[in-house]
Amino acid sequence: MQIHVVQRGENLWLISGRYGVNANRIIAVNELREPNRLVIGQAIVIPPPYPEYVVRLGDTLGTIAGRFGISVESIARANSITDTTQIRPGQVLIVPILFHTVRQGESLWAIAHRYGVTVQAIAQANGITNPALISLGQNLKIPEKMRQIIDVNAYTNVFGKVAAGQVRKDGMHLTYLCPFGYRMKDDGTLEPVDDQQLIAAAYEKHVIPVMSITNFSATEAGTKLAHTILSSLELQNKLVTNILTIMENKGYRGLNVDFENVSPSDRESYNQFLRLAVRRLHEKGFFVSSALAPKTSSEQKGLLYEAHDYAAHGDIVDFVVLMTYEWGYRFGPPQSISPINEIRRVLDYAVTVIPRNKIFMGFQLYARDWLLPHVKGQQAETFDMQEAVRRAIQHGAEIKYDQLSQTPYYRYVDEKQHTHEVWFEDARSAQAKFDLVKEYNLRGVSYWVLGYPFPQNWVLLEDNFQIRKLI
């Protein structure tokens, strides 16, 4: 897929003509709310110019795939089909197959580079025995590019029917789901969570449900609670017993441990708790993961960081989630929430002490709007990427792109003449993050948090990677 940044004077129909792609497909892929109103600097995903096929009586995805020489999975993915047996006559399907007409001066190498495939793959798909011999005007079938296989995790912090609907909508893109979360009590029990609908939706979409436990809340940092639990082997065992009971009763397959704001003096006790949890959960066939603050060295100071022992977690648990977001904190000054330059510093350290195949890179799914001038402690408004673009359009703001953090942002003046600064994510910043996953050869991506629409993210995720499904 390509990414187009809107320039002055452009409209959607000029853009669609430039790329030879139906404007309605561009609207659908980006879920453009106001296709007649684009804003300068807005990033738009341009889907490939795939042909369309109208389903006939007697067709199956298998017969259609065979006719075009591609896989059933490719067609299902391109059309967001979850049940491959359910297609109907008259249904219009996108066929994910490309053809390229050779232009003057083009080589097979240049064509392969453009589409992200190998020369050998194009030659094989077109029966070419000598890659140096292609002719002007020749139509070449471009095979599907190879995509890196990764795991994808997502947290959700809402429950009930609405949350289950989110999982059904986005579950095709996920390997794991972490409903967040079970808060532990100082007696080793856990506060109840209404997660049955989420777990059921996860299984429907072949997503592994992961129980998430934590020590903090919206009103308490949880430092004292963490110390109470971690300083008592009896409470630790009781906590693990209660975790196992919930996992077995509700159908969880793994555990995500998120102890935050842990006192530095409890660092080794935290490591010991993880060893205990891994030993007891592995005996029952469950896996254990942990969530880690974004550290850049083993000596990093601060309550968020010191008790998070990267090397120990990398050795003990099955995988870790690096919480590489929240630089643009809602109570702090306006800045990129997940800046690439800062994420890179975290990864540079993490891969020296944690196996790469155990690392999930965190990715936030929300935008923020700060009032200027910023007053310490003043809270920014949090919303989704679609709303970020809508506000830019509404106020006629030009979207800028910070090259250092690889993040879009803009300023606008509201009806009360107050100035705002918005930082969000778009197709460009999402692609930059996916490139990092590839560069560092990580296990995958972990999203915080479902419920904030960002359609471009899911389209690009699928274009870059093959998502592993384990159930």
Side-chain angles (χ1 to χ4, degrees), residues 213-267:
I213 65 166
T214 191
N215 62 310
F216 73 96
S217 69
T219 57
E220 293 183 36
T223 305
K224 181 180 179 182
L225 175 59
H227 177 73
T228 299
I229 298 292
L230 296 175
S231 61
S232 167
L233 185 58
E234 180 184 356
L235 284 176
Q236 289 182 41
N237 270 298
K238 184 178 178 182
L239 177 60
V240 174
T241 297
N242 287 322
I243 289 168
L244 281 167
T245 298
I246 292 170
M247 292 178 70
E248 290 170 337
N249 288 342
K250 292 196 172 185
Y252 281 111
R253 299 286 188 90
L255 177 69
N256 183 249
V257 182
D258 184 16
F259 271 98
E260 297 192 25
N261 307 306
V262 178
S263 171
S265 61
D266 287 326
R267 173 176 169 137

Side-chain angles (χ1 to χ4, degrees), residues 371-375 378 419:
L371 191 63
L372 298 180
H374 175 69
V375 177
Q378 182 174 269
T419 301

Side-chain angles (χ1 to χ4, degrees), residues 37-77:
R37 297 177 67 194
L38 303 179
V39 63
I40 297 170
Q42 182 177 353
I44 298 173
V45 174
I46 307 297
Y50 292 145
E52 294 179 346
Y53 177 82
V54 180
V55 178
R56 305 168 188 166
L57 187 65
D59 276 339
T60 66
L61 278 191
T63 61
I64 297 169
R67 186 174 297 135
F68 289 95
I70 57 177
S71 68
V72 168
E73 291 74 20
S74 295
I75 297 181
R77 186 172 64 250

Side-chain angles (χ1 to χ4, degrees), residues 202-359:
Y203 277 109
E204 285 178 30
K205 292 299 179 180
H206 305 284
V207 179
I208 293 176
V210 182
M211 182 179 175
S212 183
I213 65 166
T214 191
N215 62 310
F216 73 96
S217 69
T219 57
E220 293 183 36
T223 305
K224 181 180 179 182
L225 175 59
H227 177 73
T228 299
I229 298 292
L230 296 175
S231 61
S232 167
L233 185 58
E234 180 184 356
L235 284 176
Q236 289 182 41
N237 270 298
K238 184 178 178 182
L239 177 60
V240 174
T241 297
N242 287 322
I243 289 168
L244 281 167
T245 298
I246 292 170
M247 292 178 70
E248 290 170 337
N249 288 342
K250 292 196 172 185
Y252 281 111
R253 299 286 188 90
L255 177 69
N256 183 249
V257 182
D258 184 16
F259 271 98
E260 297 192 25
N261 307 306
V262 178
S263 171
S265 61
D266 287 326
R267 173 176 169 137
E268 186 50 40
S269 297
Y270 185 16
N271 294 342
Q272 292 298 338
F273 170 75
L274 290 174
R275 291 187 181 96
L276 170 68
V278 166
R279 177 177 58 80
R280 292 191 57 189
L281 267 67
H282 277 190
E283 289 174 353
K284 299 287 188 176
F286 300 123
F287 61 83
V288 179
S289 61
S290 66
L292 289 169
K295 294 179 69 167
T296 56
S297 79
S298 61
E299 304 304 318
Q300 189 165 343
K301 301 299 182 184
L303 187 62
L304 283 175
Y305 310 104
E306 291 183 62
H308 283 194
D309 186 336
Y310 269 40
H313 285 236
D315 178 60
I316 298 166
V317 300
D318 298 293
F319 61 82
V320 302
V321 172
L322 304 184
M323 295 183 284
T324 42
Y325 33 75
E326 284 296 296
W327 277 270
Y329 179 51
R330 70 182 188 277
F331 289 109
Q335 60 178 304
S336 170
I337 300 167
S338 302
I340 282 287
N341 55 312
E342 296 294 348
I343 294 175
R344 184 178 289 278
R345 292 180 63 215
V346 174
L347 293 177
D348 283 341
Y349 166 58
V351 297
T352 65
V353 291
I354 303 173
R356 294 170 190 259
N357 64 1
K358 286 189 175 186
I359 297 175

